[in-house]
Amino acid sequence: MSLPHAILTSLAEKPGSGAELAQRFDKSIGYFWQATHQQIYRELARLEERGLIRSAAREATRGRKRDYAVLPAGLEELARWTVLAQDPLPVRDALLVRLRAVAVMRAGSAPGDTARAVMRAELARHRGLHEQQLSLYQGVEGDDFTAGSGAQAQNTPDLRLQRAVLRAGIMFEQAWVNWADETLPTLEH
Amino acid sequence: MSLPHAILTSLAEKPGSGAELAQRFDKSIGYFWQATHQQIYRELARLEERGLIRSAAREATRGRKRDYAVLPAGLEELARWTVLAQDPLPVRDALLVRLRAVAVMRAGSAPGDTARAVMRAELARHRGLHEQQLSLYQGVEGDDFTAGSGAQAQNTPDLRLQRAVLRAGIMFEQAWVNWADETLPTLEH
DNA sequence: AGTCTTTATGCAACTAGTTGCCTTAAGGAG
DNA sequence: CTCCTTAAGGCAACTAGTTGCATAAAGACT
């Protein structure tokens, strides 16, 4: 279970409120472990209860904003967790299940032909989404990991590791686009 | 939610008992949508209640084996579901979260250096797992999708589509291995 | 001042997935 | 003919994730 540790990591990179965290989960760390604001607020409450983070109300701001920051015990927990052996999560891809479902429908039958046409469109649509994500990642790589980039504060995270994570995103999105290009002709009649 | 449809698909490919389905979920369809035997039995009960599949006790067999088969209403439901637009599930990869966690630990500090060493080993281990999965897929591709393969019964699933699904597995595992090879040097000191 | 909108937080109820243990029934070993 | 093992099915309790809605506080609109 990685959500509390994803939150600890994100707070260790930069403290902030629940809403700010939720925004970061819509990009950055959330590209590899997403969460809704509900999950985030619940985890923040649990983490504070366990003494791993602390919070304080922020004045002169909208809503009831609170700032969260990691405590030393939180960093220890993070260090403890990262070194545990963990197997990769199995893949879950509904589109591949759907393709197999279409494979059992007779081509030539009405539902089979409709399904094939829809899947062709879906595949093209997904290709577009993955390509978009890909160029987003490539943009980040260009912005953050080129020669004259800033971030020379004392708490600098290891840029090489951050880049490696980004590269993973790039390679998987690229693989997805390549697969779609290879597969689309199969669905053309 | 794809589990009931993954089960319908699997039963449409070939009827069988809950235990047989569970075995198929450990390979084949389960490579893209896994489930435990508990989930499978529960879903089978629900699907039968909804009138999408039927079951019959099988005699002269161990345990209380029942055979399940898809009913026409089940095929209709499957056709209905496949043509719904569905966005890709976001990626969830704990190893990438862990790498970001390591990135915020100071290299040179004891926990930071330990974590880097452990992650190097973990990355190598995961690379091995993915390479194993890759050659498994490549084996299946060689066995099932070469010239003189059997399967000419009337209910033949579309082999081109089944192959496309398998190719997705191959390309993603390959991407994983490639990324690991690119990233491992970053963790060498 | 009063209403409307936006931001931030949160509760409650639900669905999905996991884990540990248990029962039923057959096959085989002594 | 009992005991042990294996296969098949399942209950109960738990953890994780989702959804819909509610509340609080600040700013904008009139």
Side-chain angles (χ1 to χ4, degrees), chain B residues 1-187:
Chain B
M1 218 274 296
S2 306
L3 180 55
H5 303 98
I7 290 176
L8 286 173
T9 302
S10 194
L11 283 180
E13 287 173 357
K14 185 165 159 32
S17 69
E20 284 159 1
L21 267 179
Q23 275 173 285
R24 278 186 244 167
F25 269 79
D26 286 339
K27 45 183 180 33
S28 182
I29 198 123
Y31 293 140
F32 311 109
W33 203 278
Q34 18 67 52
T36 62
H37 81 275
Q38 267 310 325
Q39 282 175 277
I40 290 169
Y41 284 125
R42 263 192 305 191
E43 274 317 323
L44 284 172
R46 285 179 201 164
L47 288 169
E48 183 162 26
E49 201 184 347
R50 289 170 60 194
L52 303 183
I53 60 177
R54 66 174 163 69
S55 74
R58 192 194 290 179
E59 295 302 318
T61 180
R62 289 197 173 186
R64 287 171 286 180
K65 186 182 271 198
R66 302 187 67 76
D67 274 307
Y68 288 90
V70 185
L71 293 172
L75 292 178
E76 280 164 37
E77 167 59 22
L78 197 53
R80 192 193 62 74
W81 173 79
T82 43
V83 301
L84 297 176
Q86 291 179 58
D87 285 338
L89 294 177
V91 174
R92 283 216 160 164
D93 191 325
L95 193 128
L96 297 178
V97 175
R98 288 157 82 194
L99 271 183
R100 293 220 19 169
V102 172
V104 299
M105 302 181 203
R106 282 280 303 146
S109 68
D113 288 346
T114 308
R116 275 169 177 76
V118 170
M119 286 309 291
R120 188 163 58 236
E122 274 287 274
L123 204 56
R125 189 174 70 85
H126 281 229
R127 186 199 181 281
L129 293 172
H130 286 287
E131 193 173 40
Q132 208 174 313
Q133 196 67 19
L134 175 60
S135 48
L136 191 152
Y137 288 155
Q138 286 170 333
V140 174
E141 191 179 30
D143 290 351
D144 292 6
F145 301 103
T146 37
S149 76
Q152 66 276 26
Q154 75 248 52
N155 221 10
T156 309
D158 188 327
L159 284 180
R160 292 166 313 150
L161 290 181
Q162 288 208 351
R163 182 175 201 168
V165 173
L166 186 60
R167 294 282 309 159
I170 290 175
M171 296 189 78
F172 292 121
E173 297 302 336
Q174 187 70 63
W176 220 104
V177 170
N178 290 346
W179 174 75
D181 287 337
E182 173 184 304
T183 302
L184 267 165
T186 306
L187 283 156

Side-chain angles (χ1 to χ4, degrees), chain A residues 12 31 34 38 44 49 69 76 84 86 155 160 165 173:
Chain A
Y31 293 140
Q34 18 68 53
Q38 266 310 323
L44 284 171
E49 201 185 345
E76 281 164 36
L84 297 176
Q86 292 179 58
N155 221 12
R160 292 167 312 151
V165 173
E173 297 301 337

